[in-house]
Amino acid sequence: MNPTAISVKNLDLYYGEKQALKNIHVDIDERSVTALIGPSGCGKSTFLRTLNRMNDLIPNVRIEGQILIKDTDIYSDEVDVEMLRKRVGMVFQAPNPFPKSIYENVAYGPRIHGLNDKKKLDEIVERSLRGAALWDEVKDRLKDRATGLSGGQQQRLCIARALAVEPDILLMDEPTSALDPISTLKVEELVQELKKNYTIVIVTHNMQQAARISDKTAFFLNGDLIEYNDTDKLFSNPDHQQTEEYITGRFG
Amino acid sequence: MAAEELMSKHKTALNHERAFDEERKIASRVKQRRGRNRLAHGLFFLATLVGVLVLAVLLFDIFQRGWSYVTADFMNNFASRFPSRAGIKGALWGSIWLIAITAPLTFIIGVGAAIYLEEYAKKGWISTLIQVNISNLAGVPSIVFGMLGLTIFVQILALKKSVLAGGLTLTLLILPVVIVAAREAIASVPNSLRHASLAMGATRWQTIQKVVLPYALPGIMTGTILALSRAIGETAPLIMVGAATFLAFTPGSVFDEFSALPIQIYNWVAQPKEEFSNLAAAGIIVLLVILLTMNGLAIFLRNKFQR
Ligand SMILES: Nc1ncnc2c1ncn2[C@@H]1O[C@H](COP(=O)(O)OP(=O)(O)OP(=O)(O)O)[C@@H](O)[C@H]1O
Ligand SMILES: [Mg+2]
């Protein structure tokens, strides 16, 4: 059994008056893939954003409860948000490369954290692009604009960019929803590969995808965490009626 | 049974006829609409034509009168009582000094204010109030800024009739326009890019420096250059702060007296001798060349960096 990477306790989140997450308890294992599923608006993205405090950017958000990463509560005062986000990387739903070169996109993270050594940057760029299974496709045009890549390549570039800051945890919010089946497959294979070194939490609307790539699955409904279980168990023999109804497509 | 069938056939025939009628009506209405469209098209073309024609006549008149006066001597001589010896050097250099003072100041202050308002200030009634005020300031007549400059720079700060006082006054004048343009450019940066940067652990300031500003820069520069070309053509506020109309030297420092192109032109136009008004036309040509160059630069920047 892997040790725990993230431990969420009694988590409540409010957007103004509206409660979007209700008393969430989850322990996420190191070096595993955890899938978050549930109907639109149930709070998957909201939950994901609590893990790297991207919710801080939204006005009028109130958060109660605890999220422990390496035994520190990430919402306590002594935690440095920038350091937290360096450790907990994020890949967004729509690919969002900077309008800079491919190289500069990947080097962006290391640079903002103070690395300027050209040789080390070269190394990191290559390693990250290889890690994101993109190196062979772009190695001859690192100076080209990233926005000229295909959607699938852009998304893998965004993954490479996230890897370049060497996080421990990688959050992915529907990373394949804007991609074609082949690019999707590539990203899925990549997730399997990355799992060896990273803890991955991934939101997906695609139940087959969740079943294919995750070790554990969390099913959300209206801000409640209904069921959190081994993926095999959850999809074959869920503990809860509502989970059963959702995965068999009876609602949502 | 048969009767019913007959009835229904009759009904469909009726329906067909009605549909046909309907179609004819629409067709005639389409014709009307087309006619109106052509009319609107023609009217708008005429409106455009008026603008273009007036401009053409103006340019023709100015070039006809002034072109032969734009000579090396004209560029190198100072103002004079004798038309044959009068030149534009003092005014030209005065204008260049003014731009050299105004451009960096408006850019730095304008971008700074825009960054604060767009990236740092909490959105609320205070920020709305500031925003409305700035937009209103952009519409205040330039002579009012001249009075402000006279009071603050010339008198209170005792800068006298210096080119610095003139430059600062023009800075105040175009600052609102630059702030509005810079804000719009910054607001057009997609949030997804900010989030990408912040999610990697960048601070807000790093995100602004490395993502927001590079993306917004062409828009900011275009806005600044267009505002500057407005400043170059301004006369009223410069008269208020005491720009000279008759100078035999170019400013050697920011504290020296100065003249400016529009002031010189205005002065020549006001002279009774016919030749002076031709000199004014020549001065306008010089001013136009500078304006066109600046606008061209703005367009070039916009196209070059367009995403
Ligand atoms: N910035 C916000 N301000 C106010 N309410 C929000 C905000 N973001 C999300 N919400 C609300 O919180 C709830 C959860 O939203 P969230 O985006 O987390 O859902 P989701 O499960 O990710 O949905 P989807 O599958 O459509 O992405 C929704 O009811 C939504 O309307
Ligand atoms: Mg979502």
Coordinates of all heavy atoms in Angstrom, one line a residue, chain A residues 82 84 128 182 207 219:
Chain A
E82 N 2.9 30.0 -3.6 CA 3.7 29.8 -4.7 C 4.4 28.4 -4.6 O 4.5 27.6 -5.6 CB 4.7 30.9 -4.9 CG 4.1 32.1 -5.6 CD 3.4 33.0 -4.5 OE1 3.9 33.0 -3.4 OE2 2.5 33.7 -4.9
L84 N 3.5 25.9 -2.8 CA 2.5 24.8 -2.9 C 2.2 24.5 -4.4 O 2.1 23.4 -4.8 CB 1.2 25.3 -2.2 CG 0.0 24.4 -2.5 CD1 0.1 23.1 -1.7 CD2 -1.3 25.0 -2.1
S128 N 11.4 17.0 -19.8 CA 9.9 17.2 -19.6 C 9.2 16.9 -20.9 O 8.1 16.3 -20.9 CB 9.6 18.7 -19.3 OG 10.4 19.1 -18.2
I182 N -7.3 9.9 -30.9 CA -5.9 9.4 -30.9 C -5.1 10.2 -29.9 O -4.3 9.7 -29.1 CB -5.3 9.5 -32.3 CG1 -6.0 8.5 -33.2 CG2 -3.8 9.3 -32.3 CD1 -5.6 8.6 -34.6
M207 N -16.6 7.9 -18.5 CA -16.5 6.8 -17.5 C -15.6 5.7 -18.0 O -14.9 5.1 -17.1 CB -17.9 6.2 -17.4 CG -18.4 6.2 -16.0 SD -19.4 7.6 -15.6 CE -20.8 7.5 -16.6
F219 N -16.9 9.6 -6.7 CA -18.1 10.0 -7.4 C -18.8 11.1 -6.6 O -19.1 11.0 -5.4 CB -19.1 8.8 -7.5 CG -20.4 9.2 -7.9 CD1 -20.6 9.9 -9.1 CD2 -21.6 8.9 -7.2 CE1 -21.9 10.3 -9.6 CE2 -22.8 9.3 -7.6 CZ -23.0 10.0 -8.8

